[in-house]
Amino acid sequence: MRAYYFDNIAGDQRLPHDSGRYTDHAHLRSLGVLHWNVSLDSRLGGGWETEIDRIAEQHGYKNRDTIDVTKEGLGDLYDSKLSAFFEEHMHEDDEIRFILSGSGFFDIREHPSNEWIRIHVLPGDLLVVPAGIYHRFTLDTLNQIKALRLFKEEPNWTPYARSPETDSNDYRVRYIKSLEGAAVA
């Protein structure tokens, strides 16, 4: 995983858009974004499944499925799904992804600066994007990603597009308050 500020230059969303301003795990954690790198090498004691199970149990992730974001995996929905994924939105549940193959970008809105931070995820990255944070997703130029999705409860994938109404959503308000509490601590 590599994280940096998005350059905001118009062009293909699948390109790096690397501003040269990097950020680190500590800053991402201060925004509520969690990351682990879990080896996919099955020769290592128990394989990746054991480590994912441990993290899932520790954080209360009870359910899981797999998503294959490719033209073959999504079929006729491919273009519309990619477009929807890249619209700025938030969810009322954490977005948890363990990358099995391929790669892509999660862009998160930094609060209070309102700048985009781009997170390039690769195989072995486990990323938690917290409920209430504005974000978006796109593939990179490999045009494919396969990810294990983890959920605290049953999947609830209602995206809430950024708007004044969404700004007052309880999950968004709680997210902002959690940042204010972290800044004081």
Side-chain angles (χ1 to χ4, degrees):
M1 180 209 72
R2 195 167 60 95
Y4 52 89
Y5 288 86
F6 189 80
D7 66 11
N8 290 312
I9 297 172
D12 188 340
Q13 69 194 36
R14 298 169 309 131
L15 295 175
H17 288 277
D18 188 340
S19 67
R21 295 173 41 224
Y22 298 94
T23 191
D24 60 15
H25 288 256
H27 182 62
L28 292 176
R29 270 192 310 276
S30 76
L31 298 172
V33 176
L34 304 177
H35 173 266
W36 293 265
N37 189 274
V38 178
S39 176
L40 290 165
D41 189 340
S42 61
R43 297 172 293 173
L44 302 175
W48 62 265
E49 294 94 341
T50 303
E51 182 63 8
I52 294 298
D53 289 345
R54 183 190 68 73
I55 293 169
E57 184 175 335
Q58 181 180 26
H59 292 271
Y61 306 144
K62 301 174 196 162
N63 296 304
R64 61 185 74 178
D65 69 11
T66 304
I67 187 167
D68 183 12
V69 183
T70 60
K71 287 186 181 189
E72 298 76 26
L74 294 175
D76 293 340
L77 297 175
Y78 178 77
D79 290 326
S80 65
K81 285 288 188 187
L82 282 182
S83 178
F85 293 159
F86 200 63
E87 292 295 321
E88 184 173 6
H89 64 280
M90 57 147 267
H91 298 287
E92 294 181 342
D93 199 0
D94 293 347
E95 188 161 328
I96 308 144
R97 300 290 184 269
F98 177 58
I99 310 307
L100 297 166
S101 65
S103 49
F105 297 110
F106 279 91
D107 296 338
I108 61 163
R109 279 284 186 196
E110 180 183 54
H111 181 80
S113 75
N114 212 32
E115 289 187 81
W116 283 115
I117 295 177
R118 177 155 272 199
I119 304 168
H120 194 201
V121 291
L122 304 167
D125 285 328
L126 173 60
L127 188 70
V128 178
V129 177
I133 192 173
Y134 288 122
H135 66 282
R136 62 189 184 189
F137 172 80
T138 188
L139 295 173
D140 62 13
T141 55
L142 289 178
N143 289 321
Q144 69 96 10
I145 198 166
K146 185 175 184 179
L148 180 69
R149 303 186 301 180
L150 296 107
F151 312 97
K152 289 187 176 181
E153 301 298 335
E154 290 300 314
N156 176 9
W157 288 112
T158 305
Y160 295 92
R162 188 169 187 176
S163 70
E165 293 80 26
T166 307
D167 285 342
S168 62
N169 175 292
D170 287 344
Y171 289 84
R172 177 68 181 166
V173 170
R174 269 188 248 151
Y175 172 72
I176 297 301
K177 284 185 180 179
S178 76
L179 297 179
E180 293 165 358
V184 174

